């Protein structure tokens, strides 16, 4: 494997866990990773209500805390929203942007994904930008067009120097929470397509390609579990995992982190 890119294992808890449960889960993950060498970057994204408690419990450990979404404005009359300023004050370091459930159920568009991405960068949050096709789009042969469109739209008016902070996640909508995993080779191909799209976006005509684009970590997400992660991470274009269901129990999530550690060992500068 030739990549120098970071390996990231990120858990999206979605609307699960209450106070106490979240603390127990992150404490177990922190304990299991304590003192371990070759760890990937480990991120947990609890619901907003648990961020404070989880961040406190994760202090001093390798576990970083992310949010599942955020507004793109700093403050104001936006009832029910949470701003990047609020998140950074809580110790949040990462934020998931444009998850398909946000696109599907909460009106997120390519335009608002771009606004959120800019806001994350402005506040030094690491954005994990999700792109992925629906089942209908895949069956109509539109996968590549959708991926290219979502990826390019997310980058509007973003400076190439910001690429060193951005993370993408390929999350085929039909594989999320369904138990249907995208074949590893196909996930690898689409992860490469995302990076190539970023590359084209910043390439000037026939001029040099963007070397920053080559360094962007691209994760795969969609029914990742301990039994299938190894074959995904063995491929050159998949730099880690964004995980829903299997991030909700410590034994499963720790097994995924261990699979990430194996990739780090093979690519020592990729930790
Ligand atoms: C997700 O929510 O991003 C996800 C990939 O969920 P699951 O692992 O449950 O498919």
């Amino acid at each position: 494997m030739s990549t120098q890119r970071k390996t990231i294992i990120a858990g999206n808890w979605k609307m699960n866990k209450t106070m106490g449960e979240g603390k127990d889960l992150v404490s177990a993950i922190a304990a299991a990773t304590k003192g371990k060498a070759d760890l990937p970057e480990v991120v947990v994204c609890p619901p907003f209500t648990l961020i404070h408690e989880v961040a406190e419990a994760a202090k001093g450990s390798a576990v970083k805390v992310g949010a599942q979404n955020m507004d793109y404005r700093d403050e104001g009359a936006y009832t029910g929203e949470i701003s990047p300023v609020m998140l950074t004050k809580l110790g949040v370091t990462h934020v998931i942007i444009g998850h398909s459930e946000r696109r599907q159920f909460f009106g997120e568009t390519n335009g608002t994904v771009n606004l959120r991405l800019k806001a994350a960068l402005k506040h030094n949050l690491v954005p994990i930008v999700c792109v992925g096709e629906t089942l209908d789009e895949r069956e109509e042969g539109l996968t590549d067009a959708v991926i290219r469109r979502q990826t390019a739209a997310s980058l509007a008016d973003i400076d190439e120097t910001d690429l060193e902070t951005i993370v993408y996640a390929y999350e085929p909508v039909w594989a999320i929470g369904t138990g249907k995993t995208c074949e590893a080779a196909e996930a690898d191909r689409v992860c490469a397509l995302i990076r190539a799209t970023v590359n084209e976006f910043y390439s000037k005509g026939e001029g040099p390609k963007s070397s920053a684009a080559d360094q962007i970590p691209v994760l795969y997400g969609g029914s990742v579990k301990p039994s299938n992660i190894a074959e995904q991470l063995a491929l050159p274009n998949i730099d880690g995992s964004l995980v829903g269901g299997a991030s909700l129990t410590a034994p499963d999530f720790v097994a995924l982190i261990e699979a990430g550690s194996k990739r780090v060992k093979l690519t020592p500068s990729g930790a």
Side-chain angles (χ1 to χ4, degrees), residues 5-236:
R5 293 184 297 268
K6 214 181 239 192
T7 305
I8 303 170
I9 304 294
N12 173 11
W13 294 3
K14 309 195 186 190
M15 198 171 72
N16 294 294
K17 305 291 176 193
T18 56
M19 297 258 287
E21 291 173 351
K23 186 177 172 187
D24 290 350
L25 177 53
V26 78
S27 301
I29 298 164
T33 50
K34 194 170 174 199
K36 291 267 163 73
D38 301 319
L39 282 174
E41 187 160 286
V42 178
V43 186
V44 296
C45 303
F48 291 129
T49 50
L50 304 186
I51 285 178
H52 175 66
E53 185 186 43
V54 168
E56 284 298 309
K59 257 187 197 155
S61 80
V63 183
K64 297 184 175 169
V65 181
Q68 298 172 17
N69 178 40
M70 65 173 195
D71 199 274
Y72 50 86
R73 294 156 289 215
D74 289 359
E75 61 182 358
Y78 303 105
T79 302
E81 292 301 297
I82 301 289
S83 84
V85 178
M86 296 167 181
L87 294 177
T88 51
K89 293 279 181 206
L90 285 172
V92 166
T93 54
H94 292 62
V95 59
I96 299 172
I97 291 177
H99 190 279
S100 63
E101 286 153 15
R102 301 300 311 174
R103 294 179 191 253
Q104 199 179 347
F105 304 126
F106 302 101
E108 186 88 74
T109 63
N110 286 339
T112 57
V113 166
N114 173 250
L115 291 171
R116 282 176 170 76
L117 178 48
K118 285 179 189 150
L121 294 168
K122 175 179 159 197
H123 291 283
N124 297 317
L125 289 162
V126 176
I128 303 175
V129 183
C130 301
V131 296
E133 80 287 357
T134 62
L135 186 57
D136 284 352
E137 288 165 339
R138 173 158 285 266
E139 286 176 349
E140 286 167 34
L142 296 174
T143 299
D144 291 13
V146 170
I147 297 301
R148 283 182 188 280
R149 187 168 60 241
Q150 290 181 347
T151 304
S154 70
L155 291 167
D157 302 321
I158 287 175
D159 198 88
E160 189 176 350
T161 56
D162 285 322
L163 293 184
E164 60 188 40
T165 314
I166 300 173
V167 176
Y168 278 90
Y170 169 49
E171 295 219 310
V173 179
W174 50 270
I176 295 179
T178 58
K180 288 183 197 155
T181 317
C182 183
E183 245 179 64
E186 173 63 1
D188 186 66
R189 185 191 73 79
V190 181
C191 289
L193 176 67
I194 292 169
R195 211 172 284 109
T197 305
V198 177
N199 209 327
E200 280 159 24
F201 189 86
Y202 290 100
S203 297
K204 325 256 180 296
E206 293 303 303
K209 295 284 182 203
S210 163
S211 56
D214 292 335
Q215 294 310 316
I216 287 201
V218 181
L219 318 182
Y220 166 72
S223 299
V224 175
K225 24 185 196 277
S227 58
N228 61 24
I229 190 171
E231 62 170 333
Q232 295 157 9
L233 296 190
L235 297 178

